[in-house]
Structures are given as C-alpha cells and as structure tokens.
Amino acid sequence: MKDCVRLHSEQRADGKICGELLIKRGLKRRARKRKLVIDHEMKEVLERLLKDSQRDYVFTSPQDRTKPLGPWVLEEQISQIRKKIKTHPDAGLHALRHTFLTEAGEYTDPFTLQYVAGHDNIKTTMRSVHPREAAVHKLFLRLADLRPEERIACAKSVQNPVQLKMPSLEELAKILITSSL
C-alpha cells in the first residue's frame, strides 16, 4: 500500500491484457519504478475504485474520499480483525504477498518475480516463495514428459549446453582411468 500506483488503461491485440499499473515508489531505489500488466477483471475493479474515489486515488481514506489511503490503514484494520477472530499472528497482508509470489512462482522465473515484487535483491524474493510439494512433483512430471531432443535442445538458450549426449560405458571408463581422482 505504500507504493504509489497509476493506472494506464489500454486494449492490447491479444485481448487479455487491458493496461498496466505504473508503480513509482518502493523501499529501494532500484526496485521503485516498475510496470505490471492487468487483465479485464482487474481493470474493472480498479476503474470502479477510481470512480468511487473523489480524486485519482485507487484507495482512498475512509474518513475523506479526497485523500489517499494512509500507508498503514489496512495493516491496522487487519490487526484489529486478527485480535477479534483470534487468527495466527502471522496472518496478514504480508502473508498474502508471500502467497501471491508462491503461486506466481509456478508460472515464471525468479527474476520476473523479483521485478513484480519490487525486491532489490533476489534473496529477498526467494525468502518470499514457499514451493509446495505438489509443485515440485509437477515440475518433475513435466520434465519427464519432454522428448530427449527437447531436453538437449539449446538453440534458443543463452547458455551453452553442458553435455549433448551421454558417454558410452567405454568412454566413461576411459575418462575415469585417465583422470586423477
């Protein structure tokens, strides 16, 4: 909530992406300015919030609709609700952020997650992602389904292939004999 957000609404050719959120602020200088794309559903929610607002703020103060929501208002409200319903002390907005990054981690690479989260350091992102056993299992099932040429093909990769083919037993024996292990 501490980030300042601006909505740029536009229709893209693929029909799925409707615009982008421009985030101008963040905790670290390098991670501040970033753009996140939004779909139709998110666009409708944001436009409704903007319409209800008496200014260009997506989230407005409950006391004065002409002012932006304070940076800690939602956190304070969650804290009050947590006390009333006696939830786990870690249940809160930040836990939702971890949940989102964990879910998104199944569909993208760590560096894209770092960008989306606005983290300056990849280690911060990795602490936020909590892979589930089912996701790890799904990864290895997908890898097992790849044809051998798909496993080896590095034509579109920026890295050189580590090993193109498995050495024969004779080649392996020769390597072991000639190496000084």
Side-chain angles (χ1 to χ4, degrees):
M1 277 309 312
K2 294 172 280 188
D3 292 348
C4 292
V5 178
R6 182 165 310 277
L7 171 66
H8 296 285
S9 184
E10 61 184 53
Q11 183 67 34
R12 300 251 175 115
D14 62 12
K16 293 180 181 177
I17 304 300
C18 282
E20 55 191 29
L21 292 174
L22 175 61
I23 304 189
K24 292 186 171 185
R25 296 185 59 184
L27 293 175
K28 303 286 183 177
R29 182 176 304 273
R30 285 185 4 189
R32 285 188 181 152
K33 192 172 182 179
R34 60 195 187 277
K35 292 180 184 179
L36 306 177
V37 296
I38 59 170
D39 62 9
H40 289 285
E41 186 177 4
M42 182 55 65
K43 177 185 172 198
E44 289 173 9
V45 169
L46 292 172
E47 285 177 341
R48 182 175 35 86
L49 288 169
L50 281 171
K51 184 180 173 190
D52 292 345
S53 169
Q54 295 174 8
R55 294 283 181 186
D56 289 336
Y57 305 118
V58 174
F59 301 105
T60 56
S61 169
Q63 291 80 24
D64 186 353
R65 306 285 272 171
T66 64
K67 294 184 179 173
L69 186 66
W72 298 106
V73 171
L74 292 177
E75 203 54 63
E76 288 171 16
Q77 290 174 345
I78 291 287
S79 177
Q80 291 170 7
I81 291 170
R82 214 177 318 151
K83 288 176 188 172
K84 285 182 183 176
I85 62 174
K86 296 180 175 46
T87 63
H88 191 279
D90 290 338
L93 294 176
H94 200 75
L96 293 175
R97 186 174 163 89
H98 284 240
T99 301
F100 169 77
L101 291 173
T102 297
E103 294 288 330
E106 293 185 29
Y107 299 97
T108 191
D109 61 278
F111 300 105
T112 301
L113 286 178
Q114 177 187 4
Y115 175 83
V116 168
H119 292 151
D120 190 42
N121 190 317
I122 192 68
K123 290 180 181 179
T124 306
T125 307
M126 300 322 298
R127 282 194 306 266
S128 299
V129 177
H130 312 288
R132 295 177 296 250
E133 186 177 332
V136 174
H137 185 73
K138 183 178 169 184
L139 166 67
F140 282 96
L141 285 175
R142 287 173 54 200
L143 290 174
D145 286 341
L146 290 176
R147 294 186 308 268
E149 61 273 10
E150 289 174 323
R151 292 185 203 156
I152 296 171
C154 293
K156 294 182 181 178
S157 175
V158 293
Q159 290 185 319
N160 293 327
V162 176
Q163 184 174 343
L164 290 177
K165 65 178 184 118
M166 200 54 191
S168 69
L169 290 176
E170 293 81 23
E171 292 170 324
L172 203 55
K174 186 176 179 183
I175 291 169
L176 289 172
I177 291 170
T178 57
S179 67
S180 57
L181 292 177

